[in-house]
Structures are given as C-alpha cells and as structure tokens.
C-alpha cells in the first residue's frame, strides 16, 4: 500500500512541475517583441550583414557602432518610413591623404540620386576613419536610412606592400585587391574619390545584367579621339583597345573575377587574379606611368572578352572638352558621371567642373534641389563659357536636371 502512495505522490509532483513549465513557456511567448527583449535581425532588408561582419574593421568599438546603425534604421522603418527593398548596390572608394572632403562629396552625390539601398565600402588611412564616421553619422536619419557603410584600413599583401601603396597615387592600387578582400561581395562599383554622380547609380549598376557569359568588368575608354589620346602615343606596355581604358569608374562582378583564368604574356599558363598581380607588377613596374590603371590595361589587352565597354558619358573627364567637345554620347544624352581628375575641382583651370563640385558640396539634404542646387549651378556655369568645357555647359546639367526633378517630386514624402 505504501508503494502505491509513494508512486501517487511522485506522479503528482511531476504533473505539477510539468504544468508550471508549460505555463511559463506560454506566458513568455506572449511578451511583445521590443517590450522586454531587443532583437536585431541578421537579415535586415537591403543589408548584406555577412559581408560587413566578415570583412569589416575588427575594432570592437567600430563594430558596435555599426550594429547601432542597423538598430536605428530598423526603428526608422518601424516609424512608417519605407525601407528600400532588395539587395543593396555596393560602392567602393579609396581615400588617402587630403581626399576626405572630396570622397564625402562623391558619397553625397551617390546617396542623393540613388534609388536602391547603397552599401558603401570606404578604404581609408586609419587617421581618416573617425572623420568619415563623424561626417556620415551627422546626416539626418532619413538620409542615413538610404545607405550602410563599412570603413576599412588600407591593406596590401605583405610581400611588396610598400611598393603597392606608393604605386601612382597613394593607395590607388587598393582597387586591384577588392575581389580578394571583399570575398563575400558578389559585385561592386569602384570609383575614384574625384567622381560625382549626376544621375542614379542604379543605371550604372544595371550594366551587370548586360554582361554576357564571359564579361566580368566594365569601364569606359581612356579617350575618344586617338589623335590626342595618351596610350596609343606614349604607352610602353600593352593596353586595351584603340585608346586604352580609364579605371576611375569600374564595375566588377567579383565572383567571376575570383574564379576566372586570365591569359598573360608572362607564362603560357592562365592565372587566377591573385596569382596575376604581383608578377605583372614585377615585369612592368619600370614601364608604367599610371600605376594600377596601366596594369588593368595590360590584363584586359590579353583578355578583351572579359570587358564590357561603356561610353564616355559614364566617365566624363576634362579630356573630353578641354580642346573641344569629343564625347558624342554626352553631347546626345548629357553627362551621367563627372570625373574631375587632374585636381580640377580645386583649382581654376576648369571652372565648369569646379562649379558642379561646389554646387553639390553646398547643397543641404532636405532643401529644394532645384532652387538650392540646380539654379545656382546654372548661373555659375554661365560664368565659365570662356573655356572649352564651359562652352559645353549644357551637358553638365542635362541629365542632372532630370535627376533633381525626380528628387523634387519625392521631396514631400522622403525629405
């Protein structure tokens, strides 16, 4: 009899504790998300967190700052602001020396016009990191909801790192190693810091869908007019096409770049990208003038089937107007992307280029883009007609006018 009583007591105790366990699960499952628990989704719409977490800076403080940015954007979305759906467009830039302001102005133009979400990959010298973060975090929440970013230290392979860093302009050759550093990023647009977008980056990103089965990069020619072009007159190395290519705006399918085998003039064996760069530098370092751009010309000279060539309106430089207009696509459609190389944003040699740079720099997010940016720019451009580039001032505002009109129409809802 006692055994039966003990068994009954044990069953009763077990039943009571089981009931309490089930009750606690049901109770806590009813707690609303956000009331007592904070959850940051690992797949925030428009953000590829894996790429940032695995290839971004390893400084714990900077990593925590990045996580807080994600939380802020989710809160913004929860307050009724529509997040830009779909995977982001990846944009990379390298900034060394005195390039902070110029790079921020480039980013400003990209954010201003782009439709899809942006992810910025900023490679900069360590002393510039805090300044970049301070500037980007100072923009309003609505502006920051359009993009995410990671900041990286400049890094080259240990072997010959100093040689790579000083090749041509400081740190410029960093772009050659993007496929090896950003291993979780499929495709990216690389631009020099002296680039200004005059229409949405989305249209350049759209070239990815135009790649055939072999193409893995897209760039514009170095020049349209062979009589005044540089490569066909002075280069001491192979170059792409008739006048070479300019690497200031470069669209890359990095997945293809990492897996492709490249023909070369060093060995009969085709090489992967990471196997190609160092031998190429060793062979041609005494013969190249424009550094990493020359190396890219050599690579695509031997592998032209890998390159999609877009027109000069996507990379419009002083060379296209300094001796008279010679970019037919810009004359027809206007300038899509402005490239202020040779320091023309900061001197008075090409005032038309400087006028565009200053107009974007002075513009304040949220103000009317027509009256605050376009109208003042048109007035300044009229003062530049004594130069050949200034005589083509309509090309500088043709596409920009449409881009800013689109922003103006969305302003009541987004700004």
């Amino acid at each position: 009899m006692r055994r039966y009583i003990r068994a009954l007591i044990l069953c009763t105790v077990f039943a009571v504790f089981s009931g309490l366990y089930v009750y606690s699960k049901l109770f806590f499952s009813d707690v609303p998300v956000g009331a007592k628990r904070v959850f940051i989704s690992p797949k925030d719409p428009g953000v590829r967190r894996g790429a940032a977490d695995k290839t971004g800076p390893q400084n714990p403080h900077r990593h925590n700052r990045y996580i807080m940015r994600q939380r802020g954007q989710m809160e913004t979305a929860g307050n009724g602001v529509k997040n830009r759906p779909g995977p982001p467009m990846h944009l990379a830039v390298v900034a060394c020396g005195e390039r902070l302001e110029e790079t921020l102005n480039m980013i400003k133009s990209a954010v201003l016009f782009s439709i899809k979400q942006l992810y910025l990959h900023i490679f900069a010298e360590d002393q510039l990191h805090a300044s970049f973060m301070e500037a980007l975090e100072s923009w309003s929440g609505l502006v920051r909801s359009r993009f995410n970013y990671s900041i990286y230290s400049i890094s080259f392979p240990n072997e010959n790192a100093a040689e790579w860093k000083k090749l041509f302009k400081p740190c410029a050759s960093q772009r050659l190693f993007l496929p090896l550093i950003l291993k979780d990023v499929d495709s990216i647009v690389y631009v020099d810091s002296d680039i200004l977008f005059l229409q949405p980056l989305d249209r350049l990103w759209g070239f990815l869908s135009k790649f055939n089965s072999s193409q893995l990069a897209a760039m514009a020619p170095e020049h349209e007019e062979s009589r005044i072009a540089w490569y066909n007159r002075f280069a001491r190395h192979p170059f792409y096409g008739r006048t070479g290519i300019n690497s200031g705006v470069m669209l890359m399918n990095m997945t293809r770049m990492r897996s492709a085998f490249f023909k070369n003039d060093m060995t009969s064996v085709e090489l992967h990208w990471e196997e190609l760069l160092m031998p190429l530098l060793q062979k041609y370092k005494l013969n190249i003038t424009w550094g990493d751009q020359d190396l890219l010309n050599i690579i695509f000279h031997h592998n032209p089937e890998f390159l999609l060539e877009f027109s000069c309106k996507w990379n419009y430089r002083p060379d296209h107007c300094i001796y008279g207009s010679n970019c037919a696509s810009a004359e027809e459609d206007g300038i899509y992307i402005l490239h202020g190389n040779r320091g023309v944003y900061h001197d008075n040699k090409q005032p038309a280029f400087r006028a565009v740079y200053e107009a974007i720099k002075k513009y304040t997010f949220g103000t009317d883009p027509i009256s605050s940016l376009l109208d003042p720019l048109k007035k300044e451009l009229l003062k530049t007609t004594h130069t050949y580039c200034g005589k083509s001032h309509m090309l500088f505002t043709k596409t920009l006018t449409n881009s800013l009109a689109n922003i103006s129409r969305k302003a009541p809802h987004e700004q």
Side-chain angles (χ1 to χ4, degrees):
M1 184 67 178
R2 290 179 179 177
R3 276 184 284 176
Y4 290 116
I5 294 173
R6 289 174 183 170
L8 179 61
I9 292 172
L10 287 173
C11 290
T12 303
V13 171
F14 179 78
V16 170
F17 279 103
S18 297
L20 289 173
Y21 175 79
V22 172
Y23 176 77
S24 66
K25 284 291 184 183
L26 291 173
F27 177 80
F28 284 107
S29 67
D30 291 334
V31 177
V33 175
K36 292 187 178 180
R37 293 176 290 186
V38 178
F39 174 70
I40 302 175
S41 170
K43 294 184 179 179
D44 191 18
V47 181
R48 292 190 59 176
R49 294 177 60 101
D53 292 344
K54 292 181 180 179
T55 62
Q58 299 304 309
N59 183 296
H61 175 72
R62 190 171 297 120
H63 178 73
N64 291 339
R65 184 74 170 269
Y66 169 76
I67 293 296
M68 291 302 293
R69 278 189 42 71
Q70 305 305 309
R71 183 184 300 172
Q73 288 180 352
M74 291 185 66
E75 290 169 354
T76 301
N79 289 332
V81 178
K82 186 178 180 180
N83 257 359
R84 299 179 177 199
M89 302 177 294
H90 291 264
L91 177 64
V93 64
V94 178
C96 288
E98 304 298 322
R99 299 283 182 162
L100 174 66
E101 179 193 275
E102 192 174 83
T103 304
L104 287 170
N105 216 32
M106 180 281 293
I107 293 172
K108 186 177 183 180
S109 71
V111 173
L112 179 61
F113 299 123
S114 294
I115 300 168
K116 292 182 181 178
Q117 185 86 4
L118 278 174
Y119 200 107
L120 307 173
H121 301 268
I122 303 168
F123 291 81
E125 292 174 308
D126 291 348
Q127 63 267 27
L128 297 179
H129 289 195
S131 297
F132 270 113
M133 293 180 68
E134 182 180 358
L136 294 174
E137 296 292 343
S138 71
W139 292 350
S140 72
L142 283 175
V143 173
R144 286 190 286 109
S145 69
R146 303 176 187 178
F147 69 94
N148 293 296
Y149 67 89
S150 290
I151 301 175
Y152 310 83
S153 297
I154 301 297
S155 61
F156 296 105
N158 291 332
E159 182 183 2
N160 300 99
E163 193 171 5
W164 280 116
K165 185 171 183 178
K166 68 181 181 181
L167 185 65
F168 190 46
K169 295 180 181 179
C171 309
S173 57
Q174 181 75 82
R175 81 185 84 182
L176 296 176
F177 299 95
L178 294 183
L180 310 181
I181 298 172
L182 303 176
K183 294 181 179 180
D184 294 322
V185 178
D186 176 68
S187 298
I188 204 163
V189 172
Y190 165 84
V191 295
D192 287 344
S193 61
D194 53 8
I195 290 294
L196 289 173
F197 293 93
L198 303 186
Q199 52 118 43
L201 173 64
D202 306 63
R203 297 188 66 181
L204 178 61
W205 191 257
F207 274 102
L208 288 169
S209 64
K210 299 179 181 179
F211 281 7
N212 62 28
S213 59
S214 65
Q215 290 167 338
L216 48 77
M219 283 179 275
E222 171 70 14
H223 217 289
E224 303 299 306
E225 178 53 65
S226 59
R227 291 176 298 177
I228 56 176
W230 192 90
Y231 279 106
N232 56 287
R233 293 190 296 157
F234 304 115
R236 296 179 292 164
H237 57 78
F239 57 89
Y240 174 86
R242 185 171 58 95
T243 61
I245 45 175
N246 184 279
S247 59
V249 179
M250 185 176 179
L251 177 62
M252 294 180 275
N253 183 319
M254 298 197 298
T255 299
R256 291 186 178 183
M257 292 178 74
R258 286 185 285 262
S259 62
F261 287 95
F262 293 83
K263 298 185 291 293
N264 60 89
D265 58 0
M266 298 171 293
T267 172
S268 59
V269 178
E270 296 183 352
L271 302 174
H272 278 300
W273 187 260
E274 67 270 20
E275 302 169 324
L276 182 64
L277 297 178
M278 183 59 67
L280 204 61
L281 176 64
Q282 295 300 329
K283 178 173 182 177
Y284 286 104
K285 62 182 178 181
L286 299 180
N287 296 319
I288 55 179
T289 302
W290 308 112
D292 53 300
Q293 178 174 289
D294 290 346
L295 297 181
L296 289 168
N297 266 280
I298 297 168
I299 292 171
F300 288 109
H301 168 84
H302 294 292
N303 302 272
E305 71 279 9
F306 288 166
L307 188 69
L308 173 66
E309 186 178 312
F310 47 66
S311 66
C312 51
K313 67 185 178 185
W314 297 96
N315 188 350
Y316 190 92
R317 295 170 290 115
D319 302 76
H320 294 120
C321 58
I322 193 170
Y323 303 117
S325 183
N326 60 61
C327 178
S329 62
E331 291 174 4
E332 182 177 351
D333 302 321
I335 300 168
Y336 286 6
I337 297 176
L338 195 67
H339 188 175
N341 64 332
R342 301 182 181 179
V344 294
Y345 293 149
H346 313 294
D347 59 31
N348 295 314
K349 293 181 179 178
Q350 296 300 330
F353 281 77
R354 183 168 184 172
V356 179
Y357 179 86
E358 292 294 332
I360 293 175
K361 178 184 172 183
K362 294 176 182 177
Y363 173 73
T364 301
F365 281 114
T367 60
D368 176 48
I370 304 299
S371 60
S372 299
L373 197 163
L374 184 61
D375 291 344
L377 173 59
K378 287 182 175 179
K379 292 180 180 178
E380 289 300 315
L381 286 173
L382 289 176
K383 301 175 184 178
T384 71
T385 54
H386 61 284
T387 65
Y388 279 114
C389 291
K391 293 182 189 300
S392 301
H393 65 90
M394 295 298 293
L395 306 184
F396 289 78
T397 55
K398 186 173 183 178
T399 302
L400 182 63
T401 299
N402 294 330
S403 300
L404 293 176
N406 290 334
I407 294 174
S408 185
R409 283 193 291 270
K410 294 187 294 183
H413 305 287
E414 294 192 2
Q415 299 194 33

